[in-house]
Amino acid sequence: MGRAPCCDKANVKKGPWSPEEDAKLKAYIEEHGTGGNWIALPQKIGLKRCGKSCRLRWLNYLRPNIKHGGFSEQEDQIICSLYISIGSRWSIIAAQLPGRTDNDIKNYWNTRLKKKLLGKRRDSPPSRRLSINQDTNEETNRISPDTSSQALSTSALERMQLHMQLQGLYNPFSFYNNPALWPKFHPLRDKVFPIQQTDANTIAATPVQQASDATMIEPSGQNLLPVKPNMPNPMNAYMHEDLNRSTLGFPSPSSSRTLSMDNSNPNFNAAAVGLQDELHDLLYGKNECFGRQEEQQQTALDCFKDMNGDKESMNWWATNGFDDKSLAGTWDFASNLQPDLLQEYGLGYDL
DNA sequence: AAACGACCCAACCGCACCTAA
DNA sequence: TTTAGGTGCGGTTGGGTCGTT
């Protein structure tokens, strides 16, 4: 049994708002406010609209100081960096951009920024996920692009790709550039990096790692994980109190209302500068890198595919002590990537 | 000029959370 | 403690617009 609808669907108007409706709503709210009850508002005004529709219209269009279109480069970078950090939490992202609405940012991301950053998806040809034999419903259904797992994977995949682009481009010691950091079950790890595995349970500091400025943490007392101290997560300073309920240092969806950030804080701005510089390069420059970068991405994809359904490998991240608390406060690709993100990633590629 | 497809964005939908009774 | 109504959020949809053939 579902919950009762918020309004009488049969007697409410839907679709685009007329100028008259806009004027009525705007005039009433400017004079009386919302009265703390959106559901009752349309009746008071005499609008045949759902209260939720009124709220949306006001917040996204009629409210004063709303900006539409014309996103600046700085806004682009803020959106991208926050998307990478926290995903599609549009209301939080919008809170950092005065005059912008979550809906506007969401649309802008989906229609412009995503394409700008990720380019045309190379993994989208139907042959990759659809059956070769289109005549057999069985195979088609099994790996249809419309499966729920793939629907759930979209955001995770995008964030993973962006992580790869940033880390692959600019961090020579990143997870994907450093096979020594790969999970012990990774089938290619020993082939690519045979002499570095000194202990079955512990990935010890390798020459590569020693050469880096990475510090190590011990989330479970067994496994060491690199942390890149000079690549701070701009979100950390303001999400710290939220971390106990978060996954991998990012707030859980349920905590969205307790999260607050203040971009006037110098710590936030300083931390964001490095990442935003790199994002700027991705958005507006260094395009010559994309060819090599795509190769790196493909290599990473191949690595995941080569696991070939080894759930143990995928679960490695989630079961080796990399829980939410232990990973809080890190800003490395490997350590920031959520276990469920990796699992989703696996699902998305039919591992 | 017409047809078609891609793109954009306003608006809707359903779910989860919050809160008051 | 439970429940119901209100609110906020993110995902999705549908129609208008634009560009290409």
Side-chain angles (χ1 to χ4, degrees):
Chain A
M1 188 181 101
R3 59 172 304 160
C6 64
C7 55
D8 182 4
K9 304 278 183 189
N11 290 322
V12 297
K13 184 184 170 190
K14 296 204 293 189
W17 281 64
S18 68
E20 291 77 21
E21 289 175 312
D22 280 346
K24 270 187 178 180
L25 181 61
K26 195 163 189 280
Y28 183 89
I29 293 178
E30 282 176 349
E31 188 174 351
H32 301 99
T34 64
N37 189 340
W38 285 105
I39 302 296
L41 194 66
Q43 282 186 327
K44 292 179 188 171
I45 310 174
L47 281 175
K48 288 189 174 179
R49 288 278 181 177
C50 174
K52 288 175 74 171
S53 181
C54 293
R55 174 184 163 270
L56 208 64
R57 185 65 179 171
W58 171 256
L59 291 178
N60 288 340
Y61 200 82
L62 300 176
R63 188 163 48 112
N65 303 321
I66 291 289
K67 284 189 283 183
H68 289 288
F71 282 82
S72 68
E73 290 187 7
Q74 189 185 11
E75 285 175 316
D76 286 359
Q77 292 168 40
I78 291 172
I79 294 167
C80 289
S81 61
L82 288 177
Y83 183 87
I84 290 168
S85 293
I86 62 176
S88 54
R89 312 271 298 274
W90 304 117
S91 59
I92 296 171
I93 296 173
Q96 303 306 304
L97 301 171
R100 300 295 185 186
T101 69
D102 53 358
N103 206 40
D104 243 12
I105 293 171
K106 179 172 57 181
N107 284 333
Y108 184 56
W109 169 264
N110 284 330
T111 58
R112 312 271 184 89
L113 276 184
K114 185 166 69 179
K115 291 167 189 169
K116 208 168 181 179
L117 274 174
L118 299 176
K120 296 286 183 187
R121 292 289 284 273
R122 299 197 322 165
D123 58 350
S124 55
S127 60
R128 185 167 195 138
R129 286 169 182 150
L130 291 173
S131 167
I132 295 172
N133 183 356
Q134 297 288 331
D135 295 327
T136 59
N137 287 335
E138 184 185 0
E139 275 297 278
T140 302
N141 290 338
R142 187 175 68 82
I143 48 178
S144 158
D146 292 332
T147 59
S148 59
S149 67
Q150 285 194 325
L152 289 171
S153 299
T154 306
S155 172
L157 282 167
E158 286 166 7
R159 289 174 64 197
M160 189 155 191
Q161 276 191 285
L162 289 170
H163 269 291
M164 286 177 177
Q165 290 194 355
L166 286 172
Q167 293 286 321
L169 266 177
Y170 300 107
N171 180 7
F173 306 115
S174 72
F175 174 69
Y176 277 102
N177 288 336
N178 192 348
L181 308 182
W182 294 353
K184 63 181 177 181
F185 301 112
H186 194 294
L188 297 181
R189 183 176 179 269
D190 292 344
K191 295 177 191 170
V192 179
F193 222 76
I195 62 172
Q196 305 301 342
Q197 192 170 2
T198 58
D199 182 279
N201 292 323
T202 302
I203 301 172
T206 65
V208 170
Q209 287 171 268
Q210 287 163 357
S212 79
D213 56 0
T215 58
M216 309 296 284
I217 60 174
E218 288 193 37
S220 66
Q222 280 192 321
N223 298 285
L224 301 176
L225 199 64
V227 181
K228 189 165 175 264
N230 60 345
M231 187 70 171
N233 183 343
M235 304 300 291
N236 283 347
Y238 292 86
M239 292 182 173
H240 212 70
E241 65 183 22
D242 218 43
L243 294 181
N244 286 339
R245 286 174 294 167
S246 73
T247 54
L248 275 132
F250 301 130
S252 64
S254 63
S255 65
S256 64
R257 283 160 215 214
T258 63
L259 177 68
S260 67
M261 292 190 301
D262 176 9
N263 63 2
S264 66
N265 185 298
N267 291 332
F268 177 91
N269 287 331
V273 164
L275 179 61
Q276 290 192 2
D277 282 349
E278 298 182 7
L279 276 168
H280 186 275
D281 289 338
L282 271 177
L283 284 165
Y284 306 108
K286 293 195 176 178
N287 287 332
E288 70 276 9
C289 296
F290 275 74
R292 184 175 61 85
Q293 166 193 328
E294 283 200 355
E295 289 174 16
Q296 291 175 342
Q297 284 178 229
Q298 192 58 45
T299 302
L301 293 183
D302 291 342
C303 289
F304 278 110
K305 283 189 293 183
D306 286 340
M307 291 179 187
N308 197 24
D310 185 351
K311 297 295 180 188
E312 193 179 24
S313 298
M314 274 304 179
N315 290 335
W316 184 90
W317 295 99
T319 58
N320 277 267
F322 297 107
D323 58 19
D324 51 341
K325 289 176 185 170
S326 66
L327 290 160
T330 64
W331 188 235
D332 180 89
F333 170 79
S335 52
N336 265 343
L337 212 52
Q338 303 176 12
D340 59 334
L341 182 65
L342 283 167
Q343 285 180 330
E344 281 188 33
Y345 195 63
L347 285 171
Y349 284 88
D350 302 321
L351 294 177

XYZ file of all heavy atoms in Angstrom, chain A residues 14-15 17 49 52-53 56-57 103 107 111-112 120, chain B residues 6-18:
373
model
N -1.285 20.517 -14.673
C 0.126 20.135 -14.822
C 0.699 20.827 -16.057
O -0.009 21.457 -16.820
C 0.245 18.618 -14.964
C -0.225 17.887 -13.715
C 0.377 16.512 -13.553
C -0.050 15.524 -14.592
N 0.380 14.153 -14.278
N 1.985 20.714 -16.209
C 2.627 21.318 -17.366
C 3.134 22.717 -17.098
O 3.161 23.169 -15.951
N 3.916 26.590 -16.582
C 3.182 27.638 -15.857
C 2.906 28.819 -16.785
O 3.766 29.235 -17.569
C 4.001 28.105 -14.662
C 3.921 27.185 -13.488
C 4.357 25.887 -13.436
C 3.365 27.469 -12.215
N 4.117 25.346 -12.203
C 3.513 26.311 -11.425
C 2.756 28.580 -11.649
C 3.072 26.243 -10.118
C 2.329 28.527 -10.337
C 2.476 27.358 -9.578
N -2.984 24.081 -8.748
C -1.670 23.455 -8.850
C -1.390 22.661 -7.591
O -1.898 22.962 -6.510
C -0.583 24.525 -9.002
C -0.564 25.202 -10.349
C 0.172 24.351 -11.359
N 0.226 24.984 -12.675
C 0.870 24.445 -13.723
N 1.485 23.299 -13.599
N 0.871 25.059 -14.886
N 3.486 20.990 -4.250
C 4.876 20.699 -4.593
C 5.282 21.432 -5.866
O 6.413 21.886 -6.008
C 5.060 19.185 -4.783
C 5.006 18.406 -3.496
C 5.072 16.913 -3.746
C 6.458 16.469 -4.136
N 6.551 14.996 -4.154
N 4.328 21.511 -6.781
C 4.603 22.206 -8.033
C 4.843 23.694 -7.773
O 5.731 24.313 -8.370
C 3.435 22.006 -9.000
O 3.694 22.644 -10.226
N 8.284 24.151 -6.258
C 9.317 24.004 -7.268
C 9.402 25.244 -8.159
O 10.487 25.733 -8.483
C 9.021 22.768 -8.112
C 10.204 22.060 -8.739
C 11.109 21.500 -7.654
C 9.738 20.952 -9.654
N 8.228 25.742 -8.527
C 8.194 26.914 -9.401
C 8.831 28.114 -8.709
O 9.579 28.878 -9.309
C 6.747 27.213 -9.783
C 6.594 28.339 -10.789
C 7.209 27.981 -12.128
N 7.044 29.036 -13.114
C 7.628 29.050 -14.314
N 8.421 28.054 -14.667
N 7.451 30.041 -15.154
N 18.233 22.254 -9.567
C 17.724 21.762 -10.849
C 18.555 22.295 -12.012
O 18.878 21.561 -12.955
C 16.265 22.188 -11.011
C 15.493 21.259 -11.917
O 15.671 20.044 -11.859
N 14.651 21.823 -12.745
N 20.727 19.992 -14.515
C 20.563 20.032 -15.965
C 21.866 20.414 -16.656
O 22.230 19.829 -17.681
C 19.473 21.029 -16.349
C 18.082 20.486 -16.091
O 17.865 19.277 -16.109
N 17.145 21.371 -15.827
N 23.711 17.966 -19.291
C 23.695 18.304 -20.705
C 25.025 18.871 -21.209
O 25.321 18.754 -22.384
C 22.586 19.332 -21.012
O 22.796 20.499 -20.214
C 21.229 18.753 -20.712
N 25.786 19.488 -20.346
C 27.001 20.162 -20.813
C 28.272 19.621 -20.164
O 29.156 19.099 -20.830
C 26.923 21.661 -20.531
C 25.632 22.310 -20.948
C 25.682 22.809 -22.370
N 24.461 23.516 -22.725
C 24.281 24.816 -22.543
N 25.212 25.542 -21.988
N 23.158 25.387 -22.912
N 32.410 11.771 -25.305
C 31.475 10.736 -25.702
C 31.905 9.439 -25.060
O 33.060 9.049 -25.111
C 31.466 10.575 -27.225
C 30.963 11.813 -27.937
C 29.469 11.945 -27.784
C 28.970 13.144 -28.569
N 27.557 13.408 -28.323
P 20.119 10.758 -32.488
O 21.290 9.871 -32.637
O 18.941 10.306 -31.716
O 20.613 12.145 -31.887
C 21.414 12.995 -32.696
C 21.651 14.311 -31.991
O 20.474 15.145 -32.125
C 21.932 14.187 -30.495
O 23.003 15.052 -30.160
C 20.616 14.594 -29.835
C 20.038 15.580 -30.847
N 18.577 15.627 -30.890
C 17.716 14.582 -30.982
N 16.448 14.925 -31.013
C 16.481 16.303 -30.947
C 15.469 17.282 -30.942
N 14.174 17.000 -31.006
N 15.843 18.574 -30.860
C 17.142 18.864 -30.802
N 18.194 18.035 -30.802
C 17.781 16.758 -30.878
P 23.559 15.049 -28.678
O 25.025 15.276 -28.767
O 23.032 13.900 -27.924
O 22.892 16.378 -28.102
C 22.939 17.560 -28.879
C 22.076 18.628 -28.249
O 20.683 18.330 -28.493
C 22.231 18.766 -26.734
O 22.597 20.095 -26.433
C 20.848 18.407 -26.177
C 19.930 18.693 -27.354
N 18.664 17.918 -27.393
C 17.443 18.606 -27.431
O 17.441 19.839 -27.413
N 16.289 17.890 -27.479
C 16.338 16.556 -27.499
N 15.181 15.893 -27.557
C 17.572 15.845 -27.474
C 18.697 16.563 -27.422
P 23.076 20.458 -24.991
O 24.153 21.471 -25.137
O 23.314 19.232 -24.220
O 21.790 21.179 -24.397
C 21.171 22.208 -25.157
C 19.873 22.616 -24.498
O 18.869 21.618 -24.764
C 19.939 22.792 -22.985
O 19.470 24.084 -22.661
C 19.035 21.680 -22.435
C 18.091 21.422 -23.598
N 17.533 20.044 -23.700
C 16.150 19.862 -23.807
O 15.418 20.857 -23.801
N 15.655 18.608 -23.923
C 16.487 17.565 -23.939
N 15.961 16.340 -24.060
C 17.907 17.726 -23.833
C 18.377 18.971 -23.715
P 19.752 24.687 -21.275
O 19.977 26.140 -21.475
O 20.746 23.863 -20.579
O 18.358 24.494 -20.537
C 17.189 24.995 -21.157
C 15.959 24.467 -20.453
O 15.744 23.080 -20.813
C 16.031 24.484 -18.927
O 14.772 24.890 -18.434
C 16.290 23.028 -18.570
C 15.443 22.366 -19.633
N 15.719 20.931 -19.886
C 14.659 20.099 -20.266
O 13.536 20.581 -20.387
N 14.907 18.791 -20.488
C 16.138 18.308 -20.352
N 16.329 17.018 -20.585
C 17.230 19.146 -19.980
C 16.974 20.445 -19.760
P 14.678 26.012 -17.357
O 15.030 27.307 -17.951
O 15.377 25.528 -16.151
O 13.114 25.993 -17.070
C 12.215 26.068 -18.169
C 11.043 25.136 -17.949
O 11.461 23.760 -18.131
C 10.417 25.214 -16.562
O 9.002 25.203 -16.714
C 10.930 23.961 -15.850
C 11.111 22.981 -16.995
N 12.185 21.997 -16.829
C 13.448 22.218 -16.370
N 14.202 21.149 -16.358
C 13.386 20.158 -16.846
C 13.596 18.789 -17.089
N 14.758 18.155 -16.862
N 12.569 18.079 -17.597
C 11.411 18.706 -17.832
N 11.097 19.983 -17.648
C 12.138 20.661 -17.149
P 8.065 25.418 -15.479
O 6.862 26.108 -15.976
O 8.840 25.974 -14.359
O 7.663 23.932 -15.113
C 7.081 23.117 -16.113
C 7.021 21.690 -15.627
O 8.350 21.132 -15.600
C 6.450 21.491 -14.227
O 5.248 20.750 -14.333
C 7.541 20.729 -13.462
C 8.404 20.169 -14.578
N 9.813 19.964 -14.243
C 10.681 20.870 -13.725
N 11.892 20.406 -13.528
C 11.798 19.101 -13.955
C 12.747 18.055 -14.017
N 14.011 18.179 -13.625
N 12.335 16.860 -14.505
C 11.072 16.729 -14.892
N 10.086 17.625 -14.890
C 10.527 18.803 -14.406
P 4.394 20.344 -13.079
O 2.972 20.513 -13.443
O 4.936 20.963 -11.855
O 4.702 18.778 -13.028
C 4.620 18.020 -14.224
C 5.098 16.614 -13.962
O 6.531 16.618 -13.793
C 4.499 15.957 -12.714
O 4.000 14.676 -13.047
C 5.669 15.898 -11.735
C 6.878 15.845 -12.654
N 8.122 16.444 -12.091
C 9.287 15.678 -12.021
O 9.265 14.507 -12.420
N 10.403 16.231 -11.512
C 10.384 17.499 -11.086
N 11.510 18.003 -10.594
C 9.210 18.301 -11.165
C 8.106 17.736 -11.664
P 3.143 13.850 -12.033
O 2.143 13.088 -12.815
O 2.727 14.719 -10.924
O 4.227 12.828 -11.463
C 5.010 12.064 -12.383
C 5.932 11.151 -11.613
O 7.103 11.897 -11.195
C 5.306 10.554 -10.355
O 5.478 9.156 -10.357
C 6.057 11.227 -9.196
C 7.377 11.653 -9.840
N 7.959 12.914 -9.298
C 9.305 12.957 -8.927
O 9.982 11.933 -9.023
N 9.817 14.118 -8.458
C 9.041 15.202 -8.368
N 9.597 16.317 -7.900
C 7.677 15.182 -8.749
C 7.177 14.028 -9.208
P 4.625 8.265 -9.346
O 4.135 7.092 -10.101
O 3.677 9.100 -8.583
O 5.760 7.764 -8.345
C 6.986 7.294 -8.884
C 8.041 7.258 -7.813
O 8.517 8.596 -7.531
C 7.570 6.681 -6.472
O 8.572 5.842 -5.974
C 7.376 7.923 -5.601
C 8.494 8.822 -6.139
N 8.301 10.254 -5.933
C 7.129 10.956 -6.041
N 7.271 12.236 -5.803
C 8.612 12.381 -5.528
C 9.359 13.541 -5.207
O 8.952 14.711 -5.093
N 10.709 13.248 -5.014
C 11.261 11.987 -5.112
N 12.569 11.900 -4.887
N 10.582 10.906 -5.413
C 9.269 11.173 -5.612
P 8.241 4.783 -4.825
O 8.408 3.431 -5.399
O 6.997 5.166 -4.137
O 9.459 5.051 -3.835
C 10.758 5.299 -4.374
C 11.539 6.171 -3.426
O 11.080 7.530 -3.518
C 11.417 5.757 -1.958
O 12.702 5.493 -1.444
C 10.764 6.963 -1.286
C 11.107 8.106 -2.235
N 10.143 9.235 -2.238
C 10.616 10.538 -1.996
O 11.821 10.708 -1.785
N 9.732 11.566 -2.000
C 8.447 11.337 -2.232
N 7.616 12.374 -2.238
C 7.948 10.016 -2.488
C 8.818 9.005 -2.479
P 12.850 4.723 -0.066
O 13.853 3.662 -0.258
O 11.519 4.417 0.496
O 13.500 5.866 0.830
C 14.590 6.612 0.301
C 14.865 7.809 1.182
O 13.864 8.826 0.934
C 14.819 7.512 2.680
O 15.912 8.151 3.304
C 13.472 8.076 3.124
C 13.287 9.242 2.154
N 11.899 9.593 1.869
C 10.860 8.745 1.595
N 9.716 9.351 1.375
C 10.025 10.690 1.513
C 9.240 11.854 1.405
N 7.939 11.849 1.116
N 9.853 13.036 1.606
C 11.154 13.045 1.889
N 12.001 12.020 2.017
C 11.367 10.857 1.813
P 16.184 7.912 4.852
O 17.629 7.642 4.965
O 15.197 6.970 5.419
O 15.904 9.359 5.465
C 16.423 10.494 4.785
C 15.748 11.748 5.310
O 14.401 11.818 4.801
C 15.649 11.813 6.834
O 16.193 13.037 7.285
C 14.156 11.697 7.116
C 13.536 12.244 5.832
N 12.173 11.733 5.516
C 11.131 12.631 5.313
O 11.360 13.844 5.402
N 9.894 12.157 5.016
C 9.689 10.845 4.923
N 8.460 10.417 4.633
C 10.752 9.903 5.125
C 11.961 10.384 5.413
P 16.398 13.296 8.823
O 17.656 14.071 8.945
O 16.211 12.049 9.581
O 15.173 14.254 9.150
C 14.966 15.399 8.331
C 13.729 16.134 8.796
O 12.553 15.449 8.314
C 13.594 16.254 10.318
O 13.280 17.595 10.632
C 12.462 15.271 10.648
C 11.630 15.298 9.374
N 10.849 14.059 9.080
C 9.486 14.151 8.784
O 8.950 15.260 8.789
N 8.799 13.020 8.495
C 9.422 11.836 8.494
N 8.703 10.745 8.190
C 10.814 11.716 8.781
C 11.487 12.850 9.073
